[in-house]
Amino acid sequence: MNTYLFVLGNHRALSIAELFMRYPEGEFQVLGQDWALMDLPGKLGQKDLDALGGSIKIGKVIPAEEGERSNEVLANALAKRYTGTKLEYGVSVYGMPEQQLKTILIGLKKVLRAADLKSRFINNNFQNITAAQYKSIAGKGIELLVAKQGGQQWVAETVAMQDIDAYSKRDYGKPFRDMKMGMLPPKLAQILINLTGVQGTIWDPFCGSGVVVMEGLLMGHPMVGSDIHAERVEGAKKNVEWIRATFGLKEEAKLMVHDATQPASHAYDGIASESDLGMPHSQQIRPDMLQKIISDLDQLYIRFFTSLKTVGRKVPVVIALPFFRSSSGPSLDMGKTIQSIERLGFKRTPMLPEILKGEDRFCLKYSRPDQAVGRAIYRFMLI
Ligand SMILES: C[S@@+](CC[C@H](N)C(=O)[O-])C[C@H]1O[C@@H](n2cnc3c(N)ncnc32)[C@H](O)[C@@H]1O
């Protein structure tokens, strides 16, 4: 059993949910504000982080010897890595103020100098190591992580760092983009896929430009995507060809025009989708328009779930539905629609571990403060 430290992205609950659903064999030990410790039977590396949209770094916890303090664990870990040439390293801290890095790094420097080990720490601004800094020492240097909660501290060595260049290439490099529709960030697409908990074929019935399909292919899933608009399906095909060529993928995706409110005949093991959100994210909504948008979407979703019921597959359905911030008044969600979907026979299933207190385990929100339309993510099963 290994213990891993995951540094979480901006949406804490979503990041924890993704880990919970992707690693059912794992056990959370500690949940910090922006990090989590999990025991796992397997070994994790870059490939594993590349398939997680909600985590930024993975570190493997270095077990402390009896009575060993965390600054000793840090110094010993660095000494072990020393090969006679100048060792470049960085330290990042979680669960404590970054100012403490100064004391930690200067203290470490003294210990290493006293032991006659030539070294240089790269975060000389005394801030946590960024992905770009890590890249500059990858393969030759080492990043150590210190996490603190209550009176306890853990030290871990970074084994994987989020590949920000690959994400922006996927987000901005693809040939077909449609700003009117609002496109799903690749990281959120990965999270939706991981929340299914499914290893096999995933279907996105509202595929638009095909972001879920592209990310699913990269994660090794057989993928099916469909959309009611032929020009979007054509665009998704271009995007899928582009990602297959750019990342050398063998797996092909099935893409087709299909109205999601009609029963589908193809096979799938799970659904991951961002369905119609009604409007672009940034647009402010007049309260009188909002009710009309919600009732149109309500009809679309009910007809979609009715068609799923007709087909009768008992597979997880992970779907992002909109919630709206109006220009005046409280935000509105699709609560009534959810109730109707439940009355059809779909049960909402929890996506968070019970040890996480104070969060809705059945609905996870994703939005930026400037967005008028956010996404509320649910996981349903036909019972
Ligand atoms: C918010 S967009 C999805 C965007 C997609 N996630 C992406 O990253 O490009 C919603 C999509 O649902 C499609 N749509 C709307 N009604 C539909 C229906 N009845 N059946 C299938 N697709 C539908 C729209 O054409 C649109 O492409």
Side-chain angles (χ1 to χ4, degrees):
M1 192 67 80
N2 294 310
T3 305
Y4 285 98
L5 192 160
F6 294 86
V7 177
L8 309 175
N10 289 336
H11 291 78
R12 176 179 187 247
L14 258 185
S15 302
I16 293 172
E18 181 183 43
L19 295 172
F20 181 60
M21 299 302 293
R22 185 167 173 96
Y23 298 118
E25 71 284 18
E27 201 177 321
F28 285 107
Q29 292 303 326
V30 187
L31 295 175
Q33 196 43 49
D34 56 354
W35 57 281
L37 278 189
M38 195 187 223
D39 285 343
L40 279 166
K43 239 181 136 184
L44 299 186
Q46 189 61 44
K47 212 165 161 270
D48 301 284
L49 183 64
D50 288 344
L52 290 171
S55 291
I56 294 169
K57 297 179 187 180
I58 304 178
K60 186 166 181 292
V61 171
I62 304 171
E65 303 288 330
E66 185 72 34
E68 200 181 22
R69 294 153 60 97
S70 60
N71 53 353
E72 293 165 332
V73 181
L74 286 171
N76 290 338
L78 292 175
K80 263 197 206 137
R81 279 305 202 89
Y82 189 66
T83 55
T85 54
K86 197 174 224 177
L87 176 65
E88 292 191 291
Y89 66 96
V91 178
S92 299
V93 292
Y94 300 94
M96 64 175 105
E98 282 183 44
Q99 291 97 297
Q100 294 204 16
L101 272 173
K102 192 165 186 175
T103 319
I104 293 174
L105 285 163
I106 290 172
L108 263 180
K109 179 100 195 151
K110 279 190 192 145
V111 175
L112 295 173
R113 198 178 283 149
D116 213 15
L117 308 183
K118 291 189 275 304
S119 67
R120 181 178 85 88
F121 56 81
I122 59 161
N123 44 336
N124 41 18
N125 57 357
F126 303 117
Q127 282 171 13
N128 280 353
I129 294 285
T130 61
Q133 282 175 311
Y134 184 74
K135 216 173 168 183
S136 75
I137 56 161
K140 51 184 180 164
I142 164 173
E143 184 196 19
L144 295 172
L145 314 171
V146 186
K148 184 177 178 190
Q149 193 171 71
Q152 261 188 295
Q153 292 200 18
W154 295 265
V155 175
E157 176 177 346
T158 302
V159 293
M161 175 72 80
Q162 189 172 76
D163 188 345
I164 42 172
D165 298 336
Y167 278 113
S168 66
K169 189 169 185 183
R170 268 134 69 190
D171 209 0
Y172 302 108
K174 58 181 180 275
F176 174 70
R177 295 171 63 80
D178 183 343
M179 295 315 285
K180 285 198 299 289
M181 166 175 73
M183 278 169 297
L184 193 64
K187 288 182 196 175
L188 185 55
Q190 290 183 309
I191 294 174
L192 296 182
I193 292 167
N194 282 326
L195 289 177
T196 64
V198 158
Q199 308 280 336
T201 303
I202 306 267
W203 174 34
D204 180 354
F206 300 90
C207 75
S209 66
V211 178
V212 171
V213 178
M214 293 158 82
E215 293 303 318
L217 283 180
L218 270 175
M219 290 159 77
H221 289 274
M223 294 299 298
V224 181
S226 53
D227 200 284
I228 198 166
H229 289 118
E231 72 280 14
R232 298 215 168 125
V233 176
E234 283 314 305
K237 281 185 181 164
K238 284 197 186 106
N239 284 345
V240 163
E241 273 327 300
W242 174 81
I243 205 141
R244 289 183 67 241
T246 309
F247 292 88
L249 306 178
K250 295 211 171 60
E251 193 82 57
E252 284 186 50
K254 191 172 166 175
L255 286 160
M256 65 217 167
V257 177
H258 172 75
D259 178 351
T261 65
Q262 300 303 313
S265 55
H266 61 270
Y268 51 90
D269 304 302
I271 290 177
S273 192
E274 169 198 47
S275 61
D276 209 322
L277 301 176
M279 59 196 309
H281 293 177
S282 51
Q283 204 171 310
Q284 276 299 324
I285 313 150
R286 286 206 334 259
D288 55 318
M289 286 170 62
L290 202 49
Q291 281 311 333
K292 163 90 174 86
I293 294 172
I294 290 181
S295 77
D296 288 352
L297 291 178
D298 179 71
Q299 286 309 306
L300 171 66
Y301 299 137
I302 291 172
R303 289 171 62 209
F304 166 55
F305 276 89
T306 305
S307 77
L308 291 183
K309 190 176 174 179
T310 309
V311 174
R313 283 182 200 276
K314 298 203 165 153
V315 299
V317 181
V318 172
I319 189 155
L321 303 185
F323 68 90
F324 303 92
R325 293 198 183 97
S326 107
S327 52
S328 62
S331 63
L332 284 177
D333 63 17
M334 307 286 304
K336 285 217 177 84
T337 312
I338 302 299
Q339 285 170 12
S340 308
I341 294 170
E342 285 181 324
R343 275 198 296 275
L344 281 172
F346 292 86
K347 194 174 174 333
R348 281 199 278 159
T349 62
M351 296 173 280
L352 284 169
E354 275 177 35
I355 64 162
L356 184 63
K357 306 280 178 236
E359 292 283 349
D360 186 343
R361 300 176 66 216
F362 297 89
C363 172
L364 302 165
K365 295 224 164 122
Y366 179 96
S367 72
R368 287 199 309 264
D370 60 324
Q371 286 179 332
V373 184
R375 291 144 168 130
I377 297 156
Y378 301 89
R379 186 177 189 275
F380 292 97
M381 275 298 252
L382 183 60
I383 44 173

